[in-house]
Amino acid sequence: MTPYRIPYGCQSINQADIDAVVQVLQSPWLTQGPTIERFEQALADYCQAGHAVAVCNATAALHIACLAAGLGPGDVLWTSPNTFVASANCARYCGAQVDFVDIDPHTWNMDADLLAQKLEIAERNGALPKVVVAVAFAGQSANLRLIAQLADRYGFVLIEDAAHAVGASYLGRPVGSGAHAAMTIFSFHPVKIITSAEGGMVLTNRPELAERLRRLRSHGISSDPALMQVPEKGLWYYQQLELGFNYRMTDLHAALGLSQMARLDEFVARRRELAARYQVLLADLPLTLPVAQEGADSAWHLYVVRLDLSRIQLTQTQVFEQLRAAGLGVNLHYIPVHLQPYYQEQGFAEGDFPEAERYFLEALSLPLFPELTAELQDEVVAHLQRILE
């Protein structure tokens, strides 16, 4: 239970969700059963993708996506500093190094023009990345058209970390369709667009990637005779072909996620309605409001504003404290990853990515979830007006 009357995010569970989970509890399959495949197929169909591989959480999804992309020791992954640490940690799990590309000052996603400049330098220095993880911050894709063109030119594998963006679209196609990224990652944490309690998914159009992703999520084991190094001994036989992990999703989690799929469009529509309402209600306050990336239609996992500190008498911390004292569970997404102690031990320092650092000093995530009523949203706005004006 959140300690705040109005949290920044909250799941929406109905009786159909509960019944779906109970049905699995009453079935022979609690895990490794048919509900997982049904959830995978439902999301693949929704996103117009060839393959979907369900795992226990989105961090696991990022990890095996990087492994499937061939990332390993001696390689480098680039991502945005304005993201959750998992977008970078997935490289470290593979023994690879991490670097960052600063954010666009308007969309707060990876700046594709800065990426292009950095790639030119890296090519001259023989230090191109093996993987680029482009984060769909707050539910909105980055400039994937340009980033995908750069992937073709420089040979890196493009993974879209769309943990915030199930239900979003880009250039008229669902996020996850594979129109630009080799793999797309979704999260089903309770504050995300739909939830499976915990869970994640990797979508791809490449059969060879899907095959390896499925193997990596289950100990590196395969029962496919075509892949075995010795003849098949029977239906019970399997071989471990590589070092994998126990990253499987359970049928219980899949049942909840599959049930939530029935309301995905409803959830996204409500989030868009609330975001549009914020855009109007907050227009006259000393805030910078979110803007759209060209071609992107956000799923609005987050509604983030930036405080215009030159026009108010309070610090960011004071604004947070007053809003939380009023019962509003405002949050901050994100502390730049390169400022985390672990990454400073890797050699990063304050000043390395100045736009992300400026953003961090001004950002404020406001409550946004499907069951947020107009009355509660008005209360959020009223508190902001009282504090900022």
Side-chain angles (χ1 to χ4, degrees), residues 278-321:
Y278 268 139
Q279 293 288 90
V280 173
L281 295 173
L282 300 175
D284 295 329
L285 293 182
L287 300 168
T288 299
L289 304 184
V291 299
Q293 167 68 50
E294 182 182 359
D297 196 359
S298 179
W300 289 103
H301 163 54
L302 299 172
Y303 186 86
V304 181
V305 298
R306 291 175 69 165
L307 302 168
D308 185 346
L309 296 174
S310 67
R311 296 168 57 197
I312 62 177
Q313 303 301 312
L314 301 173
T315 66
Q316 181 193 48
T317 299
Q318 289 170 326
V319 173
F320 264 89
E321 289 175 347

Side-chain angles (χ1 to χ4, degrees), residues 14 37 42 52 71 115 153 157 161 183 215 230 247 253 260 271 277 298 333 337 339 342 348 381:
N14 66 12
E37 292 183 3
L71 190 71
L115 172 64
R153 176 177 174 182
V157 178
D161 181 351
M183 289 172 277
R215 190 165 65 242
V230 296
Y247 282 170
H253 292 87
Q260 290 255 303
R271 287 175 176 274
R277 199 164 183 270
S298 179
H333 299 87
V337 179
L339 297 183
Y342 174 81
F348 295 103
V381 173

Side-chain angles (χ1 to χ4, degrees), residues 60-292:
L62 282 164
H63 183 191
I64 63 172
C66 287
L67 289 171
L71 190 71
D75 295 327
V76 182
L77 174 150
W78 292 2
T79 190
S80 168
N82 182 33
T83 187
F84 187 58
V85 294
S87 306
N89 289 350
C90 55
R92 302 296 295 139
Y93 301 153
C94 300
Q97 297 301 311
V98 177
D99 202 355
F100 302 94
V101 179
D102 211 349
I103 63 173
D104 183 290
H106 305 292
T107 66
W108 313 329
N109 269 318
M110 178 185 287
D111 189 321
D113 292 325
L114 289 180
L115 172 64
Q117 296 170 23
K118 187 163 183 161
L119 286 165
E120 287 184 16
I121 297 169
E123 184 178 44
R124 290 198 297 269
N125 295 334
L128 286 168
K130 183 69 169 283
V131 170
V132 170
V133 173
V135 177
F137 175 70
Q140 173 173 258
S141 291
N143 186 353
L144 287 187
R145 178 163 47 190
L146 176 53
I147 296 173
Q149 291 170 357
L150 294 169
D152 290 340
R153 176 177 174 182
Y154 291 101
F156 61 80
V157 178
L158 173 57
I159 298 173
E160 184 174 21
D161 181 351
H164 296 180
V166 64
S169 64
Y170 180 71
L171 296 179
R173 297 284 301 278
V175 170
S177 70
H180 296 89
M183 289 172 277
T184 301
I185 307 304
F186 289 127
S187 170
F188 311 121
H189 183 275
V191 297
K192 298 301 196 305
I193 311 298
I194 61 171
T195 186
S196 61
E198 283 282 6
M201 198 90 77
V202 189
L203 272 63
T204 184
N205 289 334
R206 303 182 188 179
E208 72 281 5
L209 289 178
E211 179 181 285
R212 187 154 188 233
L213 289 164
R214 293 189 181 101
R215 190 165 65 242
L216 285 166
R217 75 172 170 188
S218 192
H219 304 282
I221 285 172
S222 176
S223 297
D224 184 351
L227 299 176
M228 292 186 185
Q229 297 179 11
V230 296
E232 178 185 5
K233 298 180 182 296
L235 294 177
W236 53 269
Y237 193 65
Y238 63 85
Q239 290 183 352
Q240 182 183 345
L241 304 179
E242 59 183 316
L243 183 63
F245 308 88
N246 185 357
Y247 282 170
R248 295 186 296 255
M249 178 181 279
T250 72
D251 282 59
L252 294 170
H253 292 87
L256 177 56
L258 180 59
S259 178
Q260 290 255 303
M261 285 288 298
R263 291 191 289 158
L264 175 53
D265 288 339
E266 172 191 331
F267 288 158
V268 173
R270 179 58 178 160
R271 287 175 176 274
R272 288 172 176 163
E273 179 183 349
L274 290 165
R277 199 164 183 270
Y278 268 139
Q279 293 288 90
V280 173
L281 295 173
L282 300 175
D284 295 329
L285 293 182
L287 300 168
T288 299
L289 304 184
V291 299

